[in-house]
Each structure stands twice: as structure tokens, then as C-alpha cells.
Amino acid sequence: MAVVEVTGLEKCYGGVAVVDGVSLAVERGEVFGILGPNGAGKTTTVECVAGLRRPDGGQVRVLGLDPAADAAAVRSRVGVQLQQAALPDRMRVGEALRVFATAHGRPDQVEGLLADWGLAEKRRSGFATLSGGQRQRLFVALALLGDPEIVVLDELTTGLDPVARRDTWGLVRRLRAEGTTVLLVTHAMDEAAALCDRLAIIAGGRVVATGTPEEVTGAHASLEEAYLAHTDASWEVPA
């Protein structure tokens, strides 16, 4: 069953099409990857899905709802972690969770999320003192407030060291095991291959390939080679 359906999505800025006819469907309970080079339109696509941007054309349905017309209803059922997310330097971990949990009407979730995501010992730590991996765990915890049915994770591991990246992959696998649908934006081939049940490669604002990692690889020797063939873009594992 598709819980996200995007058909002919278009979004322009200054007359330039950033998203140009994107169509994709995400099934309940899967990790669906949106893969592509920087500037391909990945983030804009998921922002339209999450109701954070209004499309210029096409149709988006999330859990049967139109994110543009039913933004509040969609936000109550979709958690979002965006690439540029940040908190005030002095805001403490526990404080951030309490503030956002209260906004969601779920203050009862704070202690459980602190424990579940390895943040209990950091509850009194300011945001500026957290490591990259700890910040990502906090943003995932914030995205999970209200028990969303779908979680959007945008470039979750960019800038993390190899150990923190692998630990964060474990968080994504855990979400899937618990039945949460994950929409994962990435430009890391190893991440897509390791985590995604299915994926779409976007280049120049268009979907150029879609399917399981094996289907997308096709006749190519690896997902990296398929990516290069479809996007004509350079590739490297994020630092």
C-alpha cells in the first residue's frame, strides 16, 4: 500500500524548474531512498511531501491527504529531520525534547525518547556541546515525537565520522523494524545500498531510475556505476 504518492511534481524558483515532473510511490513500512547529486531537487521534493513547500504543479498525496491543503493533519503524522536543522547553542537536550513534546501534546514521551536514543546522559548538555552523532540522534528523537507514521530523514549522515555513520544506520534500521515508513534522502551510495528497500535516483529535477538497489544497478557492476551512468555526476563517500 502506497502511503506517499507523488505524480508529476513540479517546483520552480525564478523561472527555473528545480523539480521537473517527479513521480514516485512509497509503500508502508519500507525505507525508500531518494538518491542524487547536490542540487538535483531531492530536498525540495521531500519538503513538498512534508507540506513545507507548496508545489507549482503535479499532485502529492501523503496518507491520502494533500500536504498543501491539509498541512496540519500531515504534520501530525509525518516527522521530519532536515539537513539544515539546528537548535540554539545553549538549549539543553532535555529542554528541546520537552518544548517540542509539549507542542505535540505528548510530554509523556520525553523520558522514553531520551533512553531509547542514548541521550539520557546528555539531557543537561547544551546543543553546542554535542557531537555530530549526538545531534543526529536528537533530531531523530525530535522527528519521532507524536509517533509519526512516516519519517523524512534528509542527508542524515553528512559530516559524520565512519563510526557515527554506522551507528546512525542502526537507528534507521530500528525505525523500519518498528514499522515506521522512512523516506531517506542521501547522496551516499553505500548508505542507499545498505538501508533502502527501494530507491529513486533524481538528477536535474527528474527521476532517472527507480526500483530496488539491485534493479537500479541492473547491468552495471555496482550501484555507484549505475548512479554515474544515470546522473553523469561525481561520487564520493561523505566525510
Side-chain angles (χ1 to χ4, degrees):
M1 175 182 176
V3 293
V4 176
E5 295 178 284
V6 178
T7 307
L9 178 65
E10 298 178 357
K11 183 65 181 178
C12 299
Y13 296 106
V16 177
V18 176
V19 178
D20 187 13
V22 164
S23 296
L24 55 88
V26 181
E27 297 176 4
R28 186 178 295 276
E30 73 175 339
V31 177
F32 188 95
I34 296 183
L35 183 66
N38 292 332
K42 306 186 301 296
T43 295
T44 299
T45 296
V46 296
E47 287 177 342
C48 290
V49 167
L52 300 175
R53 293 191 186 276
R54 182 177 292 272
D56 294 323
Q59 178 174 281
V60 180
R61 291 293 180 268
V62 178
L63 298 165
L65 301 170
D66 178 351
D70 304 301
V74 169
R75 282 197 297 269
S76 70
R77 301 173 70 181
V78 177
V80 181
Q81 170 270 326
L82 294 177
Q83 183 180 4
Q84 301 301 324
L87 293 171
D89 286 349
R90 294 185 180 181
M91 178 172 274
R92 297 179 179 182
V93 169
E95 178 188 4
L97 277 166
R98 285 194 301 274
V99 168
F100 286 92
T102 300
H104 279 272
R106 293 299 307 273
D108 58 298
Q109 288 190 302
V110 172
E111 293 303 319
L113 287 169
L114 285 170
D116 287 349
W117 298 99
L119 295 167
E121 294 183 358
K122 293 292 182 178
R123 69 172 68 236
R124 298 185 183 279
S125 299
F127 179 75
T129 70
L130 301 179
S131 68
Q134 290 164 348
R135 292 185 183 192
Q136 296 297 51
R137 290 203 300 273
L138 174 57
F139 289 133
V140 172
L142 291 171
L144 292 175
L145 285 166
D147 297 320
E149 297 170 58
I150 301 169
V151 176
V152 176
L153 304 176
D154 185 9
E155 300 288 5
L156 185 63
T157 61
T158 296
L160 299 187
D161 62 54
V163 173
R165 288 185 79 230
R166 293 288 177 173
D167 288 346
T168 304
W169 288 6
L171 305 184
V172 176
R173 292 190 178 104
R174 176 176 170 179
L175 291 176
R176 182 184 183 279
E178 293 174 350
T180 304
T181 303
V182 178
L183 189 53
L184 179 70
V185 178
T186 183
H187 64 270
M189 246 53 56
D190 57 341
E191 187 163 282
L195 298 177
C196 296
D197 298 297
R198 294 188 305 123
L199 57 87
I201 296 178
I202 296 181
R206 298 180 178 182
V207 173
V208 294
T210 187
T212 66
E214 293 77 15
E215 289 169 343
V216 171
T217 298
H220 300 280
S222 65
L223 186 57
E224 289 91 335
E225 286 191 9
Y227 173 86
L228 292 172
H230 285 299
T231 66
D232 191 29
S234 62
W235 171 80
E236 60 181 15
V237 175

